[in-house]
Amino acid sequence: MPAPAAAVPETAPAPTLTAASETTPHTDFSRRLGDRHLLDSDALEDIDRMTNVALGQLSGGISPASLAMAYLDWTVHLAASPGKQFQLAAKAARKAMRLSAYALSSAITGKAEPCIKPLPGDHRFDHPGWQRFPYNVIYQGFLLNQQWWHNATTGIRGVSKHGEAAVWFTAKQILDMTAPCNIPFLNPEIVETTVNERGANLTRGAQYYGEDLRRSLREEKPAGVEAFRVGENLAITPGKVIYRNLLMELIQYSPTTDTVQREPVLMQSAWMMKYYILDLSPHNSLVKYLVDRGHTVFMISWMNPRAEHRNLGMEDYRKLGTLTAIDVISNVLPGRKIHAVGYCLGGILLTIAAAAMARDGDDRLASVTLFTTMTDFTEVGEINVFMDASEVTLLEDMMWQKGYLGHQQVSGGFQLLKSADLIWSKMVREYYLGHRQPMFDLMAWNADGTRMPYRQHSEVLRRLYVDNELFEGKYLVEGRAVSISSIHVPMFAVAAVADHVAPWHSVYKLHLQSDATELTFVLTSGGHNVGIVNEPGHPHRSYQLSVCREGERFLDAETWKQKTQVSEGSWWPAWQKWLEQHSSGREAAPPLGSPEKGYPPLCDAPGTYVHQQ
């Protein structure tokens, strides 16, 4: 049983390692999660680490060794493929001829059929000015060049999948950076705006750039964040913190209905994000949506770790986070099973905890819901570029120096995955066109990042992304392997079509592992965050939903997508109805906490940990 909440000071001083963490046998494993043996002395090992740290700082966190090996793999195999070389030369000649014919026809007639169209989702050339000569020739040339480089870096016999992905990723970064839309005098929209405003757009853009540079050097949050304050206009659903330990605060939200479903809902986000993405503004708060419909909701708010927490690992988060929250809820509301919900990495942690509970005969869960959660890491999308052994070792050594992975490193890596939209198009819009995108709640939340302990992040990279232990049934909890197939309670999984963090095809592979009584799978529009913050009434939203029960045949992902009906709107109502269907009825709303059992309300939601920077 967890220690009563009253035993923890309400002021929540800087947390220190608990006895549970100190007695965990971390020893050498916590220091050395890499794939090489310890050297003869710590001094020699530290020399290697510091060298890696210096290289990482120069390369922006990208492993030079990994990149060099990928390019060697590509160049050697391309050199040994004369047929591929001939094909590329022929393609280059044909593209040059097509572009020349297009340019001549466009110059003479002013009308010509485009040689190539932008890829779906590429809106860099949507402005009508790109259809006028000579800008149309410029952007058509860029698209043809981009297509040729994709052909040149992919489809070469013998090149490893990782090498191919790394080479194309690098080429795409260079192409996105040098695209004509990023060059002021080659972009008709910038030229037109500058003429119409007599350069006022560039003046505003220079001011925006100066402000952003100043904030970046001072490590301050982006402009406009000041208008969004946690506890004032974000995360304002009423509730109380009823428990606090080293790793988390447990919030219980105040009921707004006279009766509630007997089974409470426990929600946990990833520890690398603040929990209030699930409780943003009142109009798009998933917490408020559930509370207003008669659910008792609990929320885990994670502590923001610092260097002294470097040795906290996945087992600490499972025991002191997920399991402790379940223990507290079971004590406050005895006799009730729990609907457990996990988001992203929080969903992975929940899956591990639920599998271990099922293995050990702990039946306190009524259901498991996973938001954008991968359980198979065989195909992780574009993020695979950062997941080879060399890159993981570099990241480990950079974290070893600080004791944690910073929010800036995480957000910078994800920005590179979509650099055309998140870096270069933003630069054009704000610095050249002088249009500052208004800050909104989801952007403010995204800027309020957290850190990840060195040990834990290393475990996630090694044990999940690289070795895929959870999918292969090799992930150990308390010395014994766990299996997702042990979970027999109903499961509800949500994936997003445009998710580049947890690709939906990989999320769908839960069907291959699950042995649940029923598995409901939802594919929603949007990306990793927008797909979840998907409140009813928002236009242009849709989802597909199916239920797979025991004994039914498996459908591959693409066949499932083609055959499953598309429903307009938000998936929230479908999930809320699902929760009701898997509950045992309503009862009078319970009080907040349980003072007589040692869990009195400590402070108002959103608590103290969410304010840690």
Side-chain angles (χ1 to χ4, degrees):
M1 180 181 298
V8 184
E10 183 175 346
T11 53
T16 56
L17 288 177
T18 63
S21 291
E22 290 174 338
T23 57
T24 301
H26 291 171
T27 60
D28 290 343
F29 183 64
S30 66
R31 293 198 65 255
R32 185 77 250 170
L33 292 174
D35 54 354
R36 58 188 172 89
H37 297 293
L38 290 169
L39 301 181
D40 294 336
S41 70
D42 287 346
L44 293 176
E45 185 178 336
D46 289 348
I47 291 174
D48 285 1
R49 286 182 179 273
M50 293 307 297
T51 301
N52 244 3
V53 170
L55 288 173
Q57 291 173 342
L58 291 174
S59 63
I62 304 296
S63 170
S66 177
L67 204 57
M69 292 300 293
Y71 268 87
L72 181 62
D73 186 10
W74 174 67
T75 52
V76 169
H77 284 95
L78 180 60
S81 304
K84 178 71 172 182
Q85 295 175 36
F86 178 82
Q87 183 187 59
L88 291 174
K91 283 180 177 290
R94 288 198 300 271
K95 291 179 186 298
M97 293 176 61
R98 288 169 59 194
L99 183 63
S100 298
Y102 174 79
L104 182 62
S105 176
S106 181
I108 295 174
T109 66
K111 296 181 180 180
E113 188 67 26
C115 307
I116 186 173
K117 293 182 179 180
L119 293 171
D122 185 354
H123 301 289
R124 291 175 291 180
F125 306 103
D126 286 353
H127 189 269
W130 287 107
Q131 306 308 317
R132 299 195 302 267
F133 185 84
Y135 300 111
N136 56 349
V137 178
I138 294 172
Y139 100 87
Q140 285 285 291
F142 169 77
L143 293 179
L144 289 170
N145 185 45
Q146 177 179 260
Q147 186 184 62
W148 186 88
W149 272 107
H150 183 264
N151 292 329
T153 54
T154 60
I156 300 173
R157 293 177 182 272
V159 178
S160 66
K161 288 184 177 181
H162 179 268
E164 181 178 275
V167 172
W168 167 237
F169 177 82
T170 307
K172 189 173 184 300
Q173 297 305 310
I174 297 173
L175 287 166
D176 288 342
M177 180 177 63
T178 58
C181 53
N182 301 335
I183 303 173
F185 61 86
L186 295 182
N187 187 324
E189 186 176 8
I190 297 176
V191 172
E192 181 181 315
T193 302
T194 303
V195 171
N196 292 339
E197 298 191 20
R198 299 182 181 181
N201 56 308
L202 298 179
T203 302
R204 291 195 306 275
Q207 293 173 346
Y208 295 152
Y209 175 76
E211 181 179 13
D212 291 346
L213 179 61
R214 182 172 62 255
R215 286 175 176 267
S216 176
L217 294 175
R218 295 176 178 175
E219 296 187 353
E220 297 176 352
K221 294 180 181 179
V225 168
E226 298 82 5
F228 295 89
R229 295 174 295 278
V230 175
E232 296 183 27
N233 54 6
L234 296 177
I236 62 173
T237 302
K240 299 286 185 181
V241 173
I242 65 168
Y243 179 82
R244 180 188 295 123
N245 63 17
L246 163 72
L247 277 181
M248 63 91 175
E249 291 180 327
L250 184 64
I251 301 170
Q252 181 182 358
Y253 291 96
S254 302
T256 59
T257 55
D258 294 333
T259 61
V260 297
Q261 298 293 331
R262 279 183 49 81
E263 286 73 17
V265 178
L266 170 63
M267 309 181 83
Q268 66 177 28
S269 64
W271 46 90
M272 62 182 293
M273 60 172 68
K274 297 287 181 73
Y275 83 86
Y276 64 90
I277 187 173
L278 299 172
D279 184 26
L280 278 170
S281 305
H283 72 278
N284 59 4
S285 167
L286 182 54
V287 170
K288 185 177 186 301
Y289 183 82
L290 292 179
V291 170
D292 288 347
R293 282 153 185 80
H295 294 274
T296 300
V297 179
F298 293 83
M299 177 71 72
I300 291 178
S301 175
W302 298 109
M303 174 266 293
N304 193 0
R306 297 189 294 272
E308 60 265 32
H309 304 121
R310 61 186 300 124
N311 267 354
L312 290 175
M314 288 288 286
E315 190 65 2
D316 295 304
Y317 276 73
R318 184 185 72 90
K319 287 183 175 179
L320 298 178
T322 307
L323 286 187
T324 296
I326 292 173
D327 289 340
V328 172
I329 296 171
S330 297
N331 291 332
V332 172
L333 299 175
R336 279 83 157 179
K337 293 191 175 184
I338 300 167
H339 295 297
V341 183
Y343 186 0
C344 187
L345 290 177
I348 297 173
L349 180 64
L350 173 60
T351 303
I352 293 170
M357 291 173 68
R359 179 199 66 187
D360 299 336
D362 188 339
D363 62 352
R364 287 180 291 172
L365 297 184
S367 70
V368 172
T369 296
L370 304 176
F371 296 158
T372 59
T373 298
M374 284 190 299
T375 52
D376 174 24
F377 296 83
T378 306
E379 298 174 345
V380 295
E382 293 180 338
I383 201 173
N384 182 53
V385 174
F386 304 111
M387 290 302 157
D388 71 315
S390 178
E391 182 65 37
V392 169
T393 300
L394 182 72
L395 287 174
E396 283 180 336
D397 288 347
M398 294 181 72
M399 288 189 296
W400 164 81
Q401 182 188 37
K402 291 183 177 181
Y404 58 82
L405 179 73
H407 170 65
Q408 291 80 6
Q409 290 174 273
V410 176
S411 60
F414 288 142
Q415 283 181 338
L416 283 177
L417 295 179
K418 300 185 71 176
S419 61
D421 295 329
L422 300 180
I423 298 178
W424 305 114
S425 293
K426 180 178 183 294
M427 176 194 72
V428 170
R429 182 176 62 252
E430 297 194 354
Y431 303 151
Y432 291 147
L433 298 177
H435 299 320
R436 174 76 87 178
Q437 183 177 4
M439 182 66 64
F440 56 93
D441 51 10
L442 190 58
M443 286 180 62
W445 165 85
N446 192 54
D448 190 15
T450 61
R451 296 172 287 273
M452 294 179 64
Y454 161 67
R455 173 186 170 86
Q456 184 202 48
H457 189 242
S458 184
E459 289 177 341
V460 169
L461 292 178
R462 291 281 178 192
R463 302 179 68 184
L464 297 176
Y465 277 90
V466 176
D467 296 334
N468 204 12
E469 291 182 5
L470 183 59
F471 181 77
E472 295 182 1
K474 299 177 181 178
Y475 192 97
L476 300 181
V477 174
E478 297 181 340
R480 297 167 57 203
V482 297
S483 172
I484 296 174
S485 63
S486 299
I487 304 173
H488 295 300
V489 298
M491 300 185 72
F492 192 102
V494 181
V497 173
D499 193 341
H500 62 286
V501 178
W504 80 266
H505 288 82
S506 293
V507 177
Y508 184 83
K509 289 184 179 181
L510 180 62
H511 286 82
L512 299 176
Q513 304 163 282
S514 170
D515 196 23
T517 53
E518 65 176 62
L519 172 59
T520 302
F521 183 80
V522 171
L523 180 61
T524 180
S525 56
H528 190 70
N529 296 323
V530 174
I532 302 303
V533 185
N534 199 325
E535 71 279 7
H538 198 291
H540 313 301
R541 299 288 172 87
S542 62
Y543 67 94
Q544 295 171 271
L545 182 149
S546 70
V547 181
C548 181
R549 296 179 174 84
E550 286 183 303
E552 294 184 351
R553 295 179 179 178
F554 171 77
L555 283 178
D556 65 274
E558 285 302 325
T559 301
W560 177 90
K561 192 174 188 302
Q562 293 173 6
K563 290 187 174 182
T564 305
Q565 178 182 351
V566 176
S567 301
E568 297 299 321
S570 167
W571 56 269
W572 285 13
W575 179 52
Q576 191 271 327
K577 183 178 179 181
W578 183 87
L579 288 174
E580 284 188 351
Q581 292 171 346
H582 293 85
S583 298
S584 59
R586 302 177 77 94
E587 64 180 12
L592 299 185
S594 181
E596 66 277 6
K597 297 180 180 178
Y599 302 103
L602 298 179
C603 63
D604 291 333
T608 59
Y609 282 1
V610 74
H611 294 291
Q612 293 176 339
Q613 298 298 320

